[in-house]
Amino acid sequence: MTDRQLDQKPSSSQNGRTSEDNVLRPPADLLVRLDADVAASGGEVLPDEDRAGSIGATMFDLPNSEDNTVTVLLAQENLQASPSQALVRIKSRDRRSYLGIVTAGPFAEPDSLRGDSHMLVTVATRGGIYLPPYHGRVQVSILGEELADGTLSPPRLRPLPNSPVFALDDTESAAVLRADGDIRMGLVVGHRNVVVGVPSSQKAVLPRHTAVLGTTGGGKSTTIARLVQQAQQADMAVIVLDVEGEYTFLHEQTDDPRMLAGLEERGLKPAGLRTDKTRLYHLIRRETANPGHPNLRPFSLQFARLSPYAVIEILGLSDAQQERFLKAYDIAKAVLRELGIFPAKNDAEQQRLAMELDEFERGYPRLTLPLMMDVVGACLATLEGLPVTPYRAELQTEEAKRTLTQQIQTANVPKNVISWRALMGRLSRLNRIKVFDPPSGNNGPLVYKDLLAPGAVSIIDLSDSGASELNNIVIADLLRGLQDAQDDAYQAYEDAKRGGAPATPPTRVLLVIEEAHEFLSAERIEKMPILFQQVARIAKRGRKRWLGLVFVTQLPQHLPRQVF
C-alpha cells in the first residue's frame, strides 16, 4: 500500500470496521467512559502504604516449609538489597512484627520460566543474550517477634503471606545487635559499615566466656591479636597461653601488606601492644620463640602448688603406682609437720592453712619434687633393707632421718618394690625436665598478682616445652593460681566496701587458651578429670569474679560438650 493510499479515508465501513484492514476502531469516547467507570468504582487503587520502602514480600508456605523460616520474594531491582546474614523486619498483615536474618540467598529466578528450562539453558550455552524478567528469593530465619518495648520474644505464629519485608539499615542493625561496645572486633557479616563492638565493662559478655573457631589460616590468631590489643586499651588484664609461640611478637605492629591494606580500607592504623605493660614468660631451661622481646621473664614451677591428684593424672600412674604415690605423699606431709617445716609449730596462721587445705585444689606447701623423691626412695630402701640416704638437706639431719624412718614404719607401705621403682622412674622423668623448684634467684614461679594488673598482657610461651604433660602442668597451675588471686582481690574489695573504705573493683581478666582441643579434648578429660574440674570451676566462678575464658581451636568437634 502506498503512502497516498494510507492517507486516504477508508472507502466504506460497517459498525466501525474498515473494509481495508477489517479492524474495529475504538469509540471516540472510550477514555472518557473508562475514567467514569474508574470513578464510579472508587477511583484509582493507591499504593499500599504498608509496603512503602519494602524490598519484598513473604511467600505462601509450601509442603517442605520449616518452622521459624520463611521465603521472601524480591523485585528485580531489590535483588541485592538483602545480602546473606543481613537483618530484615517483617510486618505481618496481622499487625505483628518480626525480626529475621537472611540465611540463604539472594537467588535470582526468572518470572515465567524455570531457571533450568531448555530455552534458557540453550541460550546461555550458545552464547545468546536473552535475559527474561526475573525476581529474587531469600530464605529468612525468624529471630523473634518484636514486642512494644523493642524486645524479642519467641514467635508463636508465622508471618502471613504477602507481608512486606524491610531491610534494616546500618544504624538499626547496630541497635538490634547491640554491637556498640568499646572493644572493636570487626564488621558485621552482611553489612559494610556496622562495627562489632564488645562492651568490656559488662559481665553479660566476656565473663560468660568466648570461643574463637576456624580452620587453619582462617584468621583465628588475627582475631585474638586484635582482641588482646583492644582489651589492653580497655585496662583489662590478659593472659595468653601460647603453645606455638605465634603471639610472642604482639608488641610489634604488623607489616603485612594485606593487613595494612585492610586497615587502611577501614580507616584504622596498625598498632602493637604497649611494650611497658607486655611480658613474655617462658619456662626456665626452655627457649622462647622471640628471644629479642624487650620484657622476657623466665619462670619455674612449684611442685607444692599442684594437686597430688592432678599429678597422678598428668603422669598417668597405674592403680598400684597411685596407691604408693599417695602413701608417700602422706608420709612427706607428716615429716614436714614433725620437723616444723610446715606448718611452723608456733605459727597459728600456717596451722589454720594446713587444716583447711583442699588437696583437690592444690598441693601441700613446702613439699618439693626432690623431697618427694627422697621419701619414695626411703620407702624403697626400707623395703629392700638398705639404709635411708636422703639427698635433700632438710632430711639429712639425724632427727629428720629418724622421723622419716618412723613414719615409713608406721604407715604400712605396700610391699611390692617393682611398683615403687616404677613410681620413682616417673618422678625422676618429671624431675629431669628441671623446671621445678630451682635454687633461689630470678627464676621463681609466676606471681599472679602481677599478671592481674590493669592493662597487663602476659604471654606464656610454651612452644619449647617439648611435652604435652608439661603444658598441662603449667595450665593447671595457672588456672588455680589465677582463680585464687582473683578470689583474694574480690574478697579485699568486698571487705573494703563493708568497712566503708575506698574500694577499687578487681581487674577484669581474660585468659586465652590457644589450641584448646589439645588440653580439653574429650579423650583427655576422661584421663584427667581433676584438671577438667579446675577448668569447670574457673568457668563457673569466673562469671562472678570477672575472669573470662577464651577458647581458640580449629577442631571444636574434639572439645567435650561440657565445655560448650
Side-chain angles (χ1 to χ4, degrees):
M1 183 178 291
T2 64
D3 293 341
R4 182 172 181 178
Q5 289 174 322
L6 289 172
D7 292 337
Q8 293 175 350
K9 292 183 179 180
S11 58
S12 63
S13 65
Q14 294 179 352
N15 299 325
R17 187 187 301 272
T18 65
S19 58
E20 286 82 6
D21 51 18
N22 201 29
V23 176
L24 285 174
R25 288 182 177 277
D29 61 345
L30 174 62
L31 295 180
V32 176
R33 289 161 55 188
L34 183 60
D35 288 341
D37 289 343
V38 170
S41 300
E44 296 183 12
V45 177
L46 298 177
D48 187 350
E49 294 182 357
D50 291 339
R51 299 193 64 164
S54 66
I55 61 171
T58 56
M59 183 183 172
F60 279 92
D61 295 324
L62 300 174
N64 60 349
S65 295
E66 298 180 359
D67 289 338
N68 294 326
T69 180
V70 295
T71 301
V72 176
L73 301 180
L74 313 172
Q76 179 176 332
E77 60 271 16
N78 293 330
L79 177 62
Q80 296 181 328
S82 189
S84 177
Q85 304 300 312
L87 296 174
V88 297
R89 176 175 287 112
I90 303 173
K91 293 186 177 180
S92 180
R93 293 198 173 277
D94 58 1
R95 296 302 172 187
R96 299 177 185 274
S97 180
Y98 299 86
L99 275 183
I101 183 171
V102 176
T103 52
F107 306 109
E109 298 178 340
D111 289 347
S112 56
L113 297 169
R114 287 176 56 94
D116 59 352
S117 67
H118 294 301
M119 183 175 66
L120 293 180
V121 171
T122 301
V123 170
T125 57
R126 302 290 180 176
I129 59 173
Y130 174 61
L131 185 66
Y134 61 91
H135 60 273
R137 174 176 60 85
V138 295
Q139 204 67 24
V140 173
S141 294
I142 300 174
L143 300 177
E145 180 182 347
E146 288 187 296
L147 303 181
D149 61 356
T151 59
L152 292 181
S153 68
R156 297 183 298 110
L157 302 170
R158 294 171 61 81
L160 294 179
N162 204 26
S163 297
V165 179
F166 303 82
L168 271 63
D169 60 24
D170 291 344
T171 302
E172 291 177 301
S173 297
V176 168
L177 296 173
R178 300 178 182 178
D180 55 350
D182 57 319
I183 296 182
R184 173 172 175 151
M185 296 296 295
L187 301 178
V188 176
V189 176
H191 298 268
R192 293 185 61 84
N193 299 308
V194 180
V195 175
V196 178
V198 177
S200 65
S201 59
Q202 295 184 14
K203 285 186 176 180
V205 187
L206 291 175
R208 297 185 68 86
H209 314 310
T210 308
V212 179
L213 313 175
T215 59
T216 302
K220 298 186 301 299
S221 300
T222 302
T223 301
I224 291 298
R226 179 68 179 178
L227 174 61
V228 171
Q229 190 260 343
Q230 295 278 288
Q232 185 182 60
Q233 286 189 350
D235 267 347
M236 300 177 67
V238 184
I239 299 94
V240 182
L241 281 166
D242 187 2
V243 298
E244 295 183 352
E246 56 186 326
Y247 299 103
T248 58
F249 292 88
L250 285 185
H251 64 290
E252 301 177 3
Q253 67 182 36
T254 182
D255 56 1
D256 188 313
R258 294 175 299 174
M259 290 189 179
L260 293 175
L263 290 170
E264 184 177 1
E265 181 181 354
R266 289 164 175 77
L268 302 174
K269 295 182 178 180
L273 299 179
R274 289 183 53 182
T275 305
D276 61 320
K277 288 195 172 185
T278 303
R279 301 288 185 270
L280 177 58
Y281 293 88
H282 66 94
L283 280 166
I284 59 172
R285 300 182 178 89
R286 294 294 185 275
E287 299 296 331
T288 173
N290 182 13
H293 194 282
N295 287 315
L296 281 177
R297 294 289 190 275
F299 72 97
S300 60
L301 298 173
Q302 283 188 339
F303 186 77
R305 282 183 173 182
L306 296 175
S307 162
Y309 299 97
V311 175
I312 288 173
E313 292 178 355
I314 293 170
L315 294 181
L317 300 183
S318 66
D319 291 342
Q321 293 164 5
Q322 290 180 36
E323 180 185 9
R324 285 155 178 77
F325 177 82
L326 293 176
K327 183 68 69 172
Y329 204 90
D330 289 338
I331 294 173
K333 292 191 301 182
V335 170
L336 291 176
R337 284 195 299 267
E338 290 294 324
L339 297 179
I341 297 175
F342 188 91
K345 295 182 179 180
N346 296 323
D347 193 322
E349 179 64 17
Q350 288 190 8
Q351 297 281 349
R352 182 185 65 82
L353 291 175
M355 292 292 294
E356 297 177 354
L357 181 66
D358 182 358
E359 290 186 348
F360 285 96
E361 291 280 347
R362 62 155 299 156
Y364 195 80
R366 305 291 297 276
L367 177 51
T368 64
L369 178 56
L371 191 146
M372 182 68 183
M373 293 175 63
D374 270 348
V375 173
V376 173
C379 292
L380 183 58
T382 301
L383 293 175
E384 293 179 330
L386 300 175
V388 175
T389 56
Y391 290 95
R392 296 293 297 175
E394 299 97 316
L395 302 181
Q396 289 179 350
T397 64
E398 291 303 320
E399 178 188 4
K401 290 180 182 180
R402 185 170 55 253
T403 301
L404 177 58
T405 302
Q406 291 174 350
Q407 291 296 331
I408 293 174
Q409 292 173 347
T410 58
N412 190 25
V413 298
K415 305 301 182 183
N416 190 317
V417 297
I418 296 177
S419 295
W420 282 105
R421 288 172 180 164
L423 174 60
M424 177 62 81
R426 294 297 183 96
L427 294 177
S428 298
R429 176 189 171 193
L430 192 62
N431 188 52
R432 280 196 298 271
I433 62 180
K434 298 187 181 302
V435 297
F436 285 97
D437 308 308
S440 59
N442 296 324
N443 300 326
L446 294 170
V447 180
Y448 294 106
K449 186 177 181 181
D450 295 344
L451 271 58
L452 299 182
V457 174
S458 305
I459 302 167
I460 315 299
D461 183 5
L462 301 176
S463 59
D464 191 41
S465 66
S468 59
E469 293 91 344
L470 185 54
N471 287 351
N472 291 337
I473 291 173
V474 174
I475 294 174
D477 181 59
L478 187 67
L479 291 176
R480 187 205 58 77
L482 286 176
Q483 183 173 332
D484 287 351
Q486 192 73 342
D487 284 346
D488 292 343
Y490 255 85
Q491 188 61 49
Y493 173 64
E494 295 295 334
D495 292 344
K497 285 200 306 182
R498 283 193 294 268
T504 303
T507 307
R508 297 159 295 156
V509 183
L510 281 184
L511 173 59
V512 181
I513 301 179
E514 179 67 42
E515 303 292 341
H517 59 276
E518 294 187 2
F519 175 62
L520 294 172
S521 67
E523 179 183 359
R524 284 186 181 276
I525 67 169
E526 289 180 0
K527 298 179 180 179
M528 299 187 297
I530 300 298
L531 281 180
F532 181 72
Q533 288 173 14
Q534 288 183 335
V535 177
R537 275 194 297 273
I538 198 172
K540 292 176 182 178
R541 298 174 62 182
R543 291 197 292 266
K544 301 176 182 179
R545 298 289 191 263
W546 234 120
L547 184 55
L549 297 175
V550 181
F551 299 106
V552 188
T553 179
Q554 69 266 28
L555 298 172
Q557 68 272 22
H558 288 190
L559 296 180
R561 294 183 59 187
Q562 300 95 311
V563 172
F564 294 103

